Amino acid sequence: MKWKQSSVLPGFNLSLGYSVLYLSLIVLLPLAALISKSMGLDWASFWAIVTEPRVVASYKVTFGASLIAALINLFVGLLIAWVLVRYAFPGKRFIDALVDLPFALPTAVAGIALATLYAPNGFLGAPLDRLGIKIAFTPAGIVLALTFITLPFVVRTVQPVLEDMEKELEEAASSLGATRWQIFCKVILPTIFPALLTGFTLAFARAIGEFGSVIFIAGNMPFKSEITPLMIISKLEQYDYLGATAIAVVMLVVSFALLLLINGLQWWMTRHRR
């Protein structure tokens, strides 16, 4: 197999060497240091730390809220991407720019803004509180913050795929008598599904490690609205570096396993379609 190809960039060996070196310094070494630090614990101590009832409760809050937020953005993100690609309307560029706002806005600022807005005396929180609906300082507030932070992942992943889709396929299906729902399920969805899956995975993985936007609106009540990243910070503040490292390793393993699973599923789907 011929690996070398003509390019304006340096040769394959040099480019690969710089790429591996950069990834090693930025990604692999910090992760290796994290795992190496956790090895200072024996298995019994490690297991006792990561299965402590308060830590397990934080897992449930973190992973549950992240899953709900990613699922919400799976549908809402697809809708927004569809509107931006398929329709022309006044203010389209402004809405398109708003999608990227969570990327540019500091997460702490987003958390403070959401907490102020949805607090019991806030602009939206006050009328909701009169209806018996509490958002701020509850798990619902965590879901709200994570949904805000992870929205761009789904939109920006699906949008280019929708733009590259050939509308002739939809027109052909329509001419053969297919309904709009059949066109979506049989023509559009199989094409955008890998992108949807990627956007969902990125949103879920991003939500798992989110801290800044959540800490101000969560309430941080143990066994109710305390997230795992806060547990790690608490361990560090108590100078329990081994405990913080152990919990961080669990988060790392879960995130890596999720990404590996999704990549494997995408590879299988691509091979199956071919």
Side-chain angles (χ1 to χ4, degrees):
M1 181 180 294
K2 187 177 180 181
W3 293 97
K4 297 181 179 180
Q5 299 178 358
S6 59
S7 173
V8 296
L9 295 177
F12 172 76
N13 294 331
L14 185 59
S15 299
L16 178 62
Y18 277 118
S19 300
V20 172
L21 176 62
Y22 182 82
L23 288 175
S24 298
L25 293 175
I26 300 300
V27 180
L28 295 182
L29 283 181
L31 296 183
L34 178 66
I35 297 174
S36 175
K37 184 70 175 179
S38 67
M39 290 181 179
L41 294 167
D42 56 48
W43 174 251
S45 300
F46 178 87
W47 186 253
I49 292 173
V50 300
T51 58
E52 185 182 346
R54 185 174 175 181
V55 177
V56 173
S58 73
Y59 293 152
K60 294 178 181 179
V61 173
T62 298
F63 290 109
S66 299
L67 179 61
I68 294 173
L71 288 173
I72 292 174
N73 282 331
L74 183 67
F75 296 98
V76 178
L78 173 59
L79 178 62
I80 294 175
W82 182 273
V83 170
L84 292 175
V85 171
R86 294 300 179 95
Y87 301 104
F89 54 90
K92 178 179 178 179
R93 291 184 178 275
F94 176 72
I95 294 179
D96 192 38
L98 282 180
V99 173
D100 292 326
L101 185 60
F103 281 152
L105 191 67
T107 55
V109 175
I112 294 173
L114 291 173
T116 303
L117 189 62
Y118 287 95
N121 58 347
F123 179 74
L124 294 178
L128 290 175
D129 187 65
R130 287 194 290 269
L131 297 175
I133 302 175
K134 297 183 181 298
I135 301 295
F137 317 124
T138 67
I142 299 176
V143 174
L144 177 65
L146 295 181
T147 302
F148 172 81
I149 291 298
T150 59
L151 175 63
F153 288 97
V154 178
V155 177
R156 294 311 186 204
T157 305
V158 176
Q159 191 174 355
V161 180
L162 286 175
E163 291 174 347
D164 293 338
M165 279 190 61
E166 298 179 359
K167 294 184 179 180
E168 291 78 5
L169 297 176
E170 301 173 44
E171 295 172 355
S174 179
S175 65
L176 293 174
T179 62
R180 292 184 177 180
W181 180 247
Q182 289 174 327
I183 293 174
F184 177 79
C185 293
K186 300 295 184 180
V187 178
I188 299 175
L189 186 58
T191 303
I192 65 173
F193 186 76
L196 274 174
L197 193 60
T198 300
F200 169 81
T201 306
L202 293 174
F204 183 67
R206 175 68 178 84
I208 288 175
E210 177 57 29
F211 177 78
S213 64
V214 176
I215 196 68
F216 294 100
I217 197 173
N220 309 317
M221 291 179 285
F223 299 97
K224 184 177 180 181
S225 61
E226 191 174 44
I227 58 174
T228 305
L230 178 60
M231 290 296 303
I232 297 175
I233 296 297
S234 300
K235 294 285 185 181
L236 292 175
E237 290 177 346
Q238 298 167 9
Y239 301 100
D240 184 6
Y241 299 117
L242 290 177
T245 303
I247 300 174
V249 167
V250 173
M251 302 290 286
L252 171 64
V253 170
V254 171
S255 300
F256 182 77
L258 177 66
L259 294 174
L260 189 63
L261 175 65
I262 297 301
N263 287 333
L265 181 59
Q266 288 179 332
W267 173 82
W268 179 85
M269 291 177 57
T270 303
R271 183 179 179 184
H272 180 73
R273 288 182 62 185
R274 288 179 179 175

